Amino acid sequence: MATESTRIAPEERLVNLVVALLATEQGLTKDTILSSVSGYREQVDAGASKDALEKMFERDKENLRGLGVPIETIGDYSDPDDLREARYRVPTSEYELPVDIDFTPAELAVLNLAGGVWSESSMSAQARSGLRKIRALGNDVDAPIIGYSPRINLREPAFAPLQRAIEQARVVEFDYVKAGEDAARRRRLRPLALVEYEGRWHVFGFDLDQQAERTFLLSRVSSDVRITKREFDPALRDGAGDRALRGLREVADRQRALLEVDPGTEAALRLTRRGATAEQGIRVPYVDAEVFADELASYGPEVRVVEPADLRAKVIRRLQRTLDLHGGSPT
């Protein structure tokens, strides 16, 4: 029976792995990671096979890369193609702030508050002790590590149970509200990967009722996720994250909104980096029209939808609803 020390949730292990890979300049070997990083170390102590641990590590790397964490693989300096003693790291340059950035006292207060909320609500004591563990391995931390917020617990309640189900290769059930529908329907899914796209979490898997691979937006999950006792072949998870992201990109490539955005606004900051300059503003790809309309409406007068017409109509309906709720009238 597993002891309390071995019950490290998958999301905790991912946080610990990121902290470890951020804290090393020269990189950590796979053996060092498996024997020292919390989440793997407990599995070693519990008697897990090396093959099972290595497969867990490979899945974790795929998950983190799907979340946008740039994990570098460093081979032998004399023979870079020799990966038998490969080392892994997350380049700190991806998370360092420019040296010439200054914050006002008010800005620092907000940052401290945000950091406190994250560290207290999304990160356990074991994850917070990550730096001490890495220093104990003899790896010096050259600069303060900027915490990598996985945006798990505070944002999507469905994330943690889905990650556990993927780890355990078990079927899940949940209620889901499909775009354009009001009523939720029960879904039965073999969950294969969790991916983030356009700043939103998705679960990719095999829909047992539709008998096909499907991708579901976590914000549309309207019930608790129930992990069943029904298992599936863990090999089905291989490459699932890449397939999910490829499918989302293909959908987004077919759907591009032409937007006029006021410069210097929040809308410009968020949308410009996702789009491309066009003849009349910017073209921004999107996956879910209903969710994208919610986002665009939240910017108010900062953004105007030129096309497609159906997206513009959705945004107008949302703005009109807001106006009606507040008893206002168009100017």
Side-chain angles (χ1 to χ4, degrees):
M1 184 175 180
T3 65
E4 188 64 32
S5 64
T6 64
R7 293 176 186 156
I8 306 297
E11 59 270 21
E12 283 291 336
R13 187 179 66 247
L14 291 176
V15 172
N16 293 338
L17 178 57
V18 170
V19 171
L21 298 182
L22 273 169
T24 173
E25 181 65 28
Q26 70 271 27
L28 299 176
T29 65
K30 186 184 300 183
D31 286 343
T32 300
I33 292 168
L34 297 182
S35 63
S36 305
V37 174
S38 181
Y40 302 103
R41 185 183 64 240
E42 291 78 5
Q43 297 295 329
V44 172
D45 295 341
S49 69
K50 185 174 182 180
D51 181 61
L53 285 169
E54 289 184 347
K55 288 182 178 179
M56 178 187 291
F57 174 63
E58 292 302 320
R59 285 198 307 275
D60 287 348
K61 281 197 302 175
E62 180 180 348
N63 285 339
L64 289 175
R65 283 169 173 156
L67 302 180
V69 180
I71 299 177
E72 285 187 349
T73 302
I74 307 170
D76 189 303
Y77 286 112
S78 60
D79 184 4
D81 294 329
D82 184 359
L83 298 181
R84 288 174 296 179
E85 293 298 322
R87 288 166 290 115
Y88 303 91
R89 70 176 183 180
V90 173
T92 55
S93 60
E94 297 288 338
Y95 297 97
E96 289 177 341
L97 291 174
V99 295
D100 58 349
I101 285 185
D102 292 319
F103 294 103
T104 67
E107 289 169 335
L108 286 173
V110 172
L111 289 172
N112 285 329
L113 177 61
V117 169
W118 173 64
S119 63
E120 293 302 319
S121 301
S122 299
M123 193 170 168
S124 74
Q126 284 193 326
R128 290 195 296 271
S129 68
L131 287 181
R132 293 195 298 274
K133 296 173 186 176
I134 299 306
R135 288 193 180 102
L137 294 176
N139 296 306
D140 293 330
V141 180
D142 299 326
I145 290 179
I146 298 174
Y148 173 80
S149 171
R151 294 188 289 175
I152 294 173
N153 293 334
L154 295 180
R155 179 162 293 212
E156 302 293 358
F159 186 101
L162 286 169
Q163 180 67 30
R164 285 196 295 273
I166 292 171
E167 187 70 36
Q168 298 166 6
R170 291 181 182 272
V171 170
V172 297
E173 295 182 357
F174 53 82
D175 292 339
Y176 188 80
V177 182
K178 189 177 179 181
E181 297 182 0
D182 295 326
R185 287 193 294 162
R186 197 67 172 171
R187 303 286 186 163
R188 295 185 305 135
L189 186 74
R190 293 174 187 155
L192 305 178
L194 282 160
V195 295
E196 188 184 27
Y197 189 75
E198 293 182 345
R200 299 177 182 89
W201 289 104
H202 301 74
V203 61
F204 172 79
F206 188 81
D207 188 315
L208 293 174
D209 296 312
Q210 299 296 320
Q211 286 294 297
E213 290 185 339
R214 292 286 188 269
T215 301
F216 298 93
L217 188 65
L218 262 61
S219 62
R220 292 190 178 280
V221 175
S222 60
S223 70
D224 291 338
V225 175
R226 188 174 80 87
I227 303 177
T228 72
K229 295 182 179 180
R230 183 175 177 182
E231 299 180 342
F232 58 85
D233 184 358
L236 295 174
R237 300 173 301 201
D238 296 345
D242 288 338
R243 295 202 305 280
L245 288 172
R246 186 165 56 247
L248 288 168
R249 291 189 191 106
E250 288 173 355
V251 172
D253 284 342
R254 296 194 298 267
Q255 300 183 146
R256 292 180 176 269
L258 180 58
L259 309 174
E260 293 180 339
V261 183
D262 291 346
T265 61
E266 180 188 2
L269 176 66
R270 294 182 178 276
L271 295 169
T272 302
R273 63 188 178 188
R274 283 156 47 188
T277 303
E279 67 282 358
Q280 186 182 347
I282 57 173
R283 286 200 177 272
V284 180
Y286 62 95
V287 172
D288 188 307
E290 299 290 337
V291 172
F292 193 42
D294 286 341
E295 178 187 356
L296 295 177
S298 72
Y299 299 131
E302 296 176 1
V303 60
R304 292 164 295 283
V305 181
V306 179
E307 59 181 33
D310 63 328
L311 178 64
R312 182 172 64 249
K314 292 178 189 298
V315 174
I316 292 173
R317 281 198 298 272
R318 285 159 171 77
L319 293 174
Q320 186 61 56
R321 240 186 345 254
T322 301
L323 189 65
D324 294 342
L325 287 172
H326 289 82
S329 60
T331 58

